[in-house]
Amino acid sequence: MKKTVIVFTIVSIFAKIIAFGRELVLSYFYGAGEISDVFLLSMTLPVTIFGFISVGVTSGYIPVYQKAKTEGGQDAALKFTNNVLNFLTGICLIIIVVYFIVPKQLLGLFASGFNGYTLEFARKFTNISIWAMVLTAIVTVLSGYLQINDQIKVTALISVPLNLGIISTIIIAVFVNSVYVLPVGFLISSVSQVLFLWFNSYRNGFKYSFLFDYSDKYLKSFLSSLTMLVFSGSLQQVNVLIDRTLATTVTVGGLSIFEYGNKINDFAMGVTIVPISTAIFPVMTTAKDDLVELKKTLEEGIRLSSLIIIPVSVVLILFSDVIVTILYYRGEFKMDDVLLTAKIIKYYGIGLIAFSLREMFLKCFYAVGNVKSPLINSTIGMLCNIILNFVLLRIMGLGGLALATSISAVISVILLYRSLKVSLKNICIRTTVLRCLVLFAFSGIACYGTLLLYKRLSFLMNAILIPFILAMFCFGLLYLAATFLTKVVSKNDIISLLHR
C-alpha cells in the first residue's frame, strides 16, 4: 500500500499544481471582484449540486462493483457500472430541467449576497455551465471504475485536462475581451476531462451500453445503500453551500477570496489526505471481515497522512500571509485581498489534522458497510458548523467561516472515534493519534523558530521568496528529526522507502 500511496501522491501533486495554477491565473487577470465571483459560482454550482450525490456514489459503487465481479464476473460488473452511469445521467438531466424552471431561485441559494445585476450576470454564465453536471456524473463513475481496476495514477490525473482547459479559457477571454468565453470554455474543458477518462476506461475493459435494468440485483443493492450514503455525504455539501452563500454577503469579491483561500486548503488535502484515503479504501473493503488487518490498515493510513499533513498544517498557520503574498500578490490581486485570504488559510490550517482523521474514520465505516454512524455524526457536525458560521462570521468576517469548519471537524472526529470503538470493539488507535499530536506540538515549536528566522532573513535581504525557501529547508530538517523522536517514523521506514 505504501508504494501505491507514494505514486498516487506524486501524481496528485503534479495535478494539484496545475489546478492551483488555474486559481493563480484567475486571480491575476480578474482579482477578487464581480467577474471572478460569477465565474467561480458558475463553475462550482454544477459540482456542488451533484456533490450531494457524489460522495454516496463513490463510497457505494466500489464495494458493490467488487461483489458483482466476484459473484458474476466482469460482465456483471460492467452491466452494473452502465446501470449506475445511466441512472445518474438521468438524475442530472432532471435537476437541470428544474434549474431552468427556477434559475434565479436556485442561484439565490448559492449567492444570497449578489444584487439583481450580478445575479442576472450569474444566470447567463450558469445557463451554459449547468450542463457540466452530467459530465461530472460520468467522471465520478468512471474514476471509481478506474480506481477499482488499479489505475490509481489515472484517477490522480483526472483534473488535469479540465484545469488546463480553464487556464486556456481565462487567457483567451482576456485576449478577446469577452467574459462570456469563460462559461463556454469551462464546458468544453469538462468534455475534455470526460474524454480522457472514457479513453482510459476503454483501455481497461470498460464498454458502454445504453441500458437501465432496475431488476439488476447489484443496482438494487447500490440504490438501497445510496440513500443513507447520499444523506450522510450531502451534509458536507450543505456546509459548503452555506459557507459560499455567506461569503457573498460579506463584500464584493468575498466569494472569490474565500475560494482562493479554500483552494490552498484543497491543495494541501489533495496531496496528503485524498491520495492516502483513496488508496486504502479498496484495501479496507477487502479486509472488512478481518478486524486485525482492518485496524492495521487504518493505523497505517492515519500515520502516513499525519506524517505529511502535520508540517503542512503548521506552515499554513504560521506562514499564511507569506504564502498568499508569494502566490497571489500580483496583477489585480491587492494587499487587502492578501490579508483576507491569509486569515482563511490560517484557520483552515488549524483543522487539517481533523479533516485527515475524519476522512480515514469515514472510509473505515463505509468499508464495513456502516453508514448509520457517519450519518448521525455528520448531522451533529453540520449543525455545529452552521451555528458557528453565523456566530464567527459576525466576529471575524470571512476567516470565521474557515474557523467554524475546522472546529466542527474536530467535534466530528471525536464523535466518529467514539462510534468506531463501539462498532469495532478491537479498534484502538489512541497510541497512533497521541504520537501524531505530540509530533504536531514539536512541529509547531520548530516552525515558529523558522518563522523568526524568516523574518530576520527577509529584513536583511529585503526579499520574500528566498528567505521563505531557506526557512522551509530548515523546518524540513527539524521536522524530520521530530518524526524520529516521536517514533512516528522509524529508521526501517526510511530504508524501506528508499528501496521502493
Side-chain angles (χ1 to χ4, degrees), residues 59 92 173 214 262 272 290 292 339 343 358 386 449 473 478:
S59 301
C92 289
Y214 184 74
N262 192 38
T272 54
D290 185 347
V292 175
L339 297 176
K343 288 182 180 179
R358 181 178 64 186
I386 292 173
F473 177 75
L478 293 172

Side-chain angles (χ1 to χ4, degrees), residues 319 445-458 471:
F319 283 87
I445 296 171
C447 193
Y448 183 74
T450 56
L451 176 62
L452 298 178
L453 173 64
Y454 162 79
K455 290 181 177 180
R456 182 63 178 170
L457 291 174
S458 182

Side-chain angles (χ1 to χ4, degrees), residues 365 376-377 380-381 410-420:
F365 277 118
I376 295 172
N377 292 305
I380 296 172
V410 173
I411 295 172
S412 295
V413 165
I414 294 172
L415 295 173
L416 284 169
Y417 179 59
R418 291 179 62 185
S419 298
L420 193 65

Side-chain angles (χ1 to χ4, degrees), residues 1 59 72 172 199 222 275 308 414 419 473:
M1 187 183 75
S59 301
I172 292 171
F199 172 75
F222 170 75
I308 307 173
I414 294 172
S419 298
F473 177 75

Side-chain angles (χ1 to χ4, degrees), residues 161-180:
L162 174 68
N163 289 314
L164 286 177
I166 294 174
I167 290 172
S168 302
T169 295
I170 295 170
I171 295 172
I172 292 171
V174 173
F175 181 76
V176 301
N177 194 29
S178 174
V179 294
Y180 291 101

Side-chain angles (χ1 to χ4, degrees), residues 391-413:
V391 173
L392 296 179
L393 181 67
R394 289 177 175 271
I395 301 172
M396 305 169 62
L398 287 172
L401 298 177
L403 183 58
T405 302
S406 293
I407 294 174
S408 63
V410 173
I411 295 172
S412 295
V413 165

Side-chain angles (χ1 to χ4, degrees), residues 241-485:
L241 171 60
I242 293 174
D243 285 348
R244 287 173 175 162
T245 301
L246 291 177
T248 65
T249 66
V250 177
T251 182
V252 175
L255 178 60
S256 298
I257 291 171
F258 184 76
E259 284 298 309
Y260 292 146
N262 192 38
K263 287 303 178 183
I264 294 179
N265 178 61
D266 285 347
F267 179 84
M269 293 178 64
V271 299
T272 54
I273 302 171
V274 174
I276 296 171
S277 65
T278 301
I280 71 169
F281 185 49
V283 180
M284 285 182 171
T285 303
T286 303
K288 64 181 180 180
D289 297 322
D290 185 347
L291 291 184
V292 175
E293 186 63 28
L294 184 61
K295 174 189 174 184
K296 180 181 177 182
T297 304
L298 179 61
E299 286 183 339
E300 188 75 1
I302 292 173
R303 193 166 68 92
L304 287 172
S305 61
S306 298
L307 187 63
I308 307 173
I309 205 68
I310 286 173
V312 174
S313 177
V314 294
V315 168
L316 289 182
I317 294 170
L318 295 175
F319 283 87
S320 58
D321 55 339
V322 180
I323 293 170
V324 177
T325 301
I326 292 172
L327 294 175
Y328 287 127
Y329 188 43
R330 60 183 63 84
E332 295 297 318
F333 204 81
K334 309 305 180 185
M335 182 51 69
D336 288 343
D337 302 329
V338 168
L339 297 176
L340 287 172
T341 308
K343 288 182 180 179
I344 294 170
I345 294 171
K346 179 181 294 184
Y347 294 127
Y348 268 135
I350 293 173
L352 275 181
I353 297 176
F355 299 151
S356 175
L357 291 173
R358 181 178 64 186
E359 187 68 18
M360 293 299 163
F361 291 161
L362 287 174
K363 292 296 185 185
C364 189
F365 277 118
Y366 293 148
V368 298
N370 184 345
V371 296
K372 183 178 178 180
S373 296
L375 175 60
I376 295 172
N377 292 305
S378 295
T379 302
I380 296 172
M382 181 198 70
L383 293 174
C384 291
N385 194 31
I386 292 173
I387 295 170
L388 289 170
N389 268 338
F390 286 99
V391 173
L392 296 179
L393 181 67
R394 289 177 175 271
I395 301 172
M396 305 169 62
L398 287 172
L401 298 177
L403 183 58
T405 302
S406 293
I407 294 174
S408 63
V410 173
I411 295 172
S412 295
V413 165
I414 294 172
L415 295 173
L416 284 169
Y417 179 59
R418 291 179 62 185
S419 298
L420 193 65
K421 289 183 67 179
V422 173
S423 179
L424 304 173
K425 300 185 185 301
N426 292 332
I427 294 290
C428 182
I429 54 172
R430 184 178 300 173
T431 302
T432 302
V433 173
L434 286 176
R435 283 181 178 177
C436 291
L437 291 176
V438 172
L439 178 60
F440 180 80
F442 272 104
S443 302
I445 296 171
C447 193
Y448 183 74
T450 56
L451 176 62
L452 298 178
L453 173 64
Y454 162 79
K455 290 181 177 180
R456 182 63 178 170
L457 291 174
S458 182
F459 174 77
L460 293 174
M461 301 172 67
N462 191 27
I464 297 176
L465 181 59
I466 295 178
F468 177 72
I469 293 173
L470 293 174
M472 289 300 98
F473 177 75
C474 293
F475 172 64
L477 295 177
L478 293 172
Y479 178 72
L480 183 62
T483 59
F484 284 106
L485 289 173

